[in-house]
Each structure stands twice: as C-alpha cells, then as structure tokens.
Amino acid sequence: MQFVNLLLNDATYLLDEALTKLVKIHDYQKQLQNQGLSPEELEKIRTDLEQAEQQCQSWMQLVNDTMGMMKLFTETLRDSFTMPEIVVRLAGMLNYNLESLVGPKRGQLKVEDAKKYHFDPKTLLSDFIDVYLNLGPKPDFVKAVAADGRSYKPANFETAARLLQHSLGKPPEMVSAWNDLRKRIAEAKEELDQAELDLGDIPPEFEDPIMGDLMTDPVILPSRHIMDRSTIVQQLLSTPKDPFSNVQMTIDDVIPADDLRKQIEAWKAERIASARAKAKSSEDSMDTSSG
C-alpha cells in the first residue's frame, strides 16, 4: 500500500506540473504571434517560454516513466490499486487527466514541436486507457470512477472511444473492452445517484468528518474522534499522526466503533427499504389507474 500510495502521489504531482507547463507554453507561443508587442515584451515572453520549456521537458520525461510503471503495476497488482484507501484518489486522478487530454480544453495542450518536450498526446492517452482497462474488472474501481463528482464525464469516455478507434488505431477488441467499461461506469453512476436519493440526508454522526461521506467502517482514534477506517489509513500514509491531536499513531491504535457501524447499517437498510416500498407503491398505483 505504501508503494502504491507513493506511485500515485508521484503520478498526480508530475502530471499536474507537466500539463500545466504545456498550457503555459501554448499561451506563450500564441502571444509571440502578436505583431504589436514591444521588444521588451517579446524578450520577457521568450524568457518565460524558455524557462517553461526546460521545466516541461524534465516533468514530461518523468511522466512517461511513471505512466509506464502505472501500466505495469495496475496490470499485476490490481488488488493494491483498488483498496478503499487508494481507489478513490486514483479514479479522481485518472478522470481529471482524461478530461485534460480529451475534454473541451484539450486544445490548450497543443504546442509547436511537441516531441521537443517528450509529449506525445496519443501515447499518453493510450497509457491512461490501458490503466482504466487494467482495473476495469474490479467493481470497486468502476464504482470509484462513477462516484467522482468533480471530473467524471461520460462525454470524455465517448470521445476516448472515438479516438481509440480512429486516431489511436487500436484493435477492435480493445475498443469493445473500452465501450463495455464505459457502459458499466455509466450504470454504476445511475445506481449511485439512485442510492443517494434513497438515503437522503445523512445524519451528521454517521458522516466521516474529513470526507463528509457515509461511514462504512467507523473507528475510534486515540483522540476519541471517529473516522472511517479508509480515511484514516489514507491520512496515515502521508502523515502518521492523529489528525485531531497531531499525536503519533498507527492504524493499530484505532478501535472499531462496532455499535456505530451497526447503527449505520440499520439506518441504511431502513432508508433503502422505505424507498423501495414507495417505488413499488407508486408502480402499483400506476398499474391500477392504467387498468
């Protein structure tokens, strides 16, 4: 888990730095086409461009190496990448960068002589698709991708499907696998949206204090605060301290909050049963009126 966490941290950081620099290079190259700039303004832009180019070359080379490792390890260590402490962050990172590569603003990454910066958008997109497909058989990954409220957009998966077939020239079986994956993600999104409606407002005492989500495995920290196990494990991977008291701790120091977990499970079951009963009653009413 520690290795996977570090690899994910590296990939997230490097991609952010490299793609941000590409956007800046795109902007600087566009500014240089302005015929009305003074010599001083031109010199300033050229200096800034040169600095961004140097940084981008370094970051992009590291991105390519790191994505190579991501492809390898997501194929051979699927369980490690789909642990609750990892999978949500991984899905968010993948969705965010897929948006950058195929979304409406992808034109901001178009730069003159892209190979100069070790940037091949088709290869990078192909790497991302490989990672998605490597983890696609895992239901927890599919659910995490669908649950990403910030960056998951079905349109990006549709665009990637077209690019897979036409621009990337991938074999039909890979296109088929991608279409199957994006269909399962869309179905998971519908289920999650319905579950959210069924549950309604979550009682504050059932929410994780950091993530704001419904806890599934609440644990008591040394500070006596309660968090979901996956959240505190994720915190401890970066900082081995109780987030509320700043005192050193490990995951062995937590105590399962079994009574609270049972309360959450009972509340969840009751809300779902109530929602289903209402839906059935509505359906029966419609059948009666139509008859």
Side-chain angles (χ1 to χ4, degrees):
M1 187 187 299
Q2 195 74 36
F3 168 76
V4 171
N5 180 65
L6 290 172
L7 181 58
L8 178 55
N9 286 347
D10 282 352
T12 302
Y13 176 76
L14 292 169
L15 281 158
D16 185 58
E17 289 291 335
L19 298 186
T20 298
K21 292 296 182 294
L22 280 170
V23 171
K24 286 187 175 181
I25 291 169
H26 167 87
D27 290 343
Y28 291 143
Q29 290 177 342
K30 194 172 181 180
Q31 289 176 38
L32 288 174
Q33 297 173 6
N34 185 350
Q35 302 295 323
L37 293 173
S38 67
E40 292 78 13
E41 290 172 327
L42 282 171
E43 181 61 27
K44 175 69 166 58
I45 294 171
R46 289 194 181 107
T47 300
D48 292 341
L49 172 60
E50 184 177 344
Q51 183 180 13
E53 287 179 334
Q54 291 174 352
Q55 293 172 333
C56 186
Q57 288 169 345
S58 299
W59 294 129
M60 206 67 231
Q61 186 64 59
L62 290 169
V63 163
N64 295 334
D65 293 342
T66 302
M67 288 304 298
M69 285 194 287
M70 288 283 287
K71 284 172 54 180
L72 172 64
F73 289 118
T74 52
E75 184 176 15
T76 57
L77 299 172
R78 285 176 181 164
D79 289 342
S80 298
F81 282 89
T82 51
M83 293 181 291
E85 303 83 7
I86 297 293
V87 71
V88 172
R89 290 173 50 226
L90 173 62
M93 183 275 282
L94 293 173
N95 288 342
Y96 179 80
N97 285 288
L98 183 67
E99 165 82 3
S100 297
L101 291 171
V102 306
K105 296 183 180 180
R106 63 182 179 271
Q108 294 180 344
L109 297 177
K110 290 184 178 180
V111 295
E112 299 169 10
D113 193 13
K115 291 183 179 179
K116 175 181 178 180
Y117 314 111
H118 312 293
F119 176 53
D120 184 341
K122 290 183 179 180
T123 298
L124 188 58
L125 175 59
S126 179
D127 287 347
F128 271 95
I129 289 173
D130 283 340
V131 172
Y132 275 107
L133 291 177
N134 285 344
L135 299 174
K138 291 290 187 178
D140 286 345
F141 174 72
V142 173
K143 183 178 178 181
V145 171
D148 174 22
R150 183 179 73 157
S151 300
Y152 168 62
K153 295 175 184 174
N156 291 336
F157 285 78
E158 294 171 13
T159 301
R162 291 196 298 272
L163 293 172
L164 258 180
Q165 188 167 5
H166 302 296
S167 299
L168 302 183
K170 297 296 183 180
E173 57 268 25
M174 188 172 182
V175 177
S176 177
W178 180 256
N179 284 327
D180 174 69
L181 175 60
R182 68 188 184 94
K183 178 184 176 183
R184 286 187 286 119
I185 294 171
E187 290 171 349
K189 174 64 174 171
E190 289 183 9
E191 292 177 5
L192 288 167
D193 288 347
Q194 186 58 53
E196 187 175 341
L197 288 173
D198 291 346
L199 292 177
D201 293 333
I202 302 171
E205 63 271 23
F206 293 170
E207 289 185 340
D208 180 273
I210 301 294
M211 302 301 293
D213 298 330
L214 179 67
M215 292 187 286
T216 58
D217 186 7
V219 294
I220 304 170
L221 309 186
S223 64
R224 309 310 296 170
H225 285 81
I226 296 176
M227 295 177 67
D228 195 76
R229 183 182 295 273
S230 64
T231 306
I232 186 58
V233 169
Q234 184 176 320
Q235 293 272 317
L236 294 176
L237 285 170
S238 302
T239 307
K241 294 181 179 180
D242 185 319
F244 296 96
S245 65
N246 215 30
V247 173
Q248 291 281 335
M249 68 165 287
T250 70
I251 193 60
D252 294 330
D253 294 323
V254 306
I255 301 171
D258 290 331
D259 289 344
L260 178 59
R261 176 177 54 77
K262 291 174 183 176
Q263 291 177 35
I264 292 172
E265 290 172 352
W267 172 82
K268 186 175 178 181
E270 187 276 328
R271 295 303 293 260
I272 291 174
S274 176
R276 288 177 178 171
K278 287 181 181 178
K280 188 176 187 306
S281 175
S282 177
E283 289 175 2
D284 292 342
S285 176
M286 290 178 66
D287 289 342
T288 302
S289 60
S290 61

